[in-house]
Amino acid sequence: MTKRNIIIVAGMAVIVLVFVIGKSYRKTTQGPGTDMVPVVVVPFEINNGWGYKVNVDGHTYIYQDVIPSIPGNHVFSSKEHAMRVGQFVAAKLTQNKIPSVSPQELRDMQITEAQ
């Protein structure tokens, strides 16, 4: 599979994820004026590094055990890095944006992989 095909498949997976989250989000709202559900970022240790989960209304919707947008399987070098990216993704979710992270956004956040 070429790098371009992998990117296309990953993009489609993100779109499906957004659709699923959107459907679930509408189900969990209760009445007018209460359209917000809790979105929580939870860091976790994995393979001598860190990852994060984004929980929406108490359910895990994003489980990120590697740094997104970096080729290979690299974990975050610190809990703080995992939280920084997780909070960035959660903010995109709450703004009804696709919860993706580009390589440039990672560089802007000064995210590095565990050695």
Side-chain angles (χ1 to χ4, degrees):
M1 189 175 259
T2 67
K3 186 175 180 180
R4 183 170 186 237
N5 288 345
I6 292 171
I7 291 171
I8 290 170
V9 169
M12 290 170 55
V14 168
I15 290 169
V16 168
L17 178 65
V18 169
F19 176 76
V20 169
I21 290 172
K23 284 189 69 119
S24 176
Y25 176 83
R26 285 189 293 276
K27 287 181 190 173
T28 59
T29 59
Q30 299 177 11
T34 60
D35 59 348
M36 296 185 67
V37 294
V39 177
V40 179
V41 178
V42 180
F44 59 88
E45 287 188 86
I46 187 167
N47 299 332
N48 297 318
W50 291 86
Y52 67 85
K53 297 187 289 184
V54 177
N55 295 338
V56 178
D57 200 27
H59 302 287
T60 300
Y61 283 94
I62 297 175
Y63 178 89
Q64 193 67 52
D65 59 350
V66 296
I67 302 174
S69 298
I70 291 182
N73 294 320
H74 302 284
V75 296
F76 291 95
S77 62
S78 70
K79 179 179 179 180
E80 292 74 21
H81 284 183
M83 283 296 293
R84 192 178 311 155
V85 175
Q87 289 169 342
F88 180 77
V89 168
K92 282 188 170 185
L93 276 175
T94 60
Q95 297 166 5
N96 295 321
K97 295 180 180 177
I98 295 175
S100 63
V101 182
S102 71
Q104 183 59 51
E105 289 168 328
L106 289 174
R107 284 189 292 275
D108 292 346
M109 288 185 272
Q110 299 178 335
I111 300 304
T112 59
E113 59 197 61
Q115 301 300 319

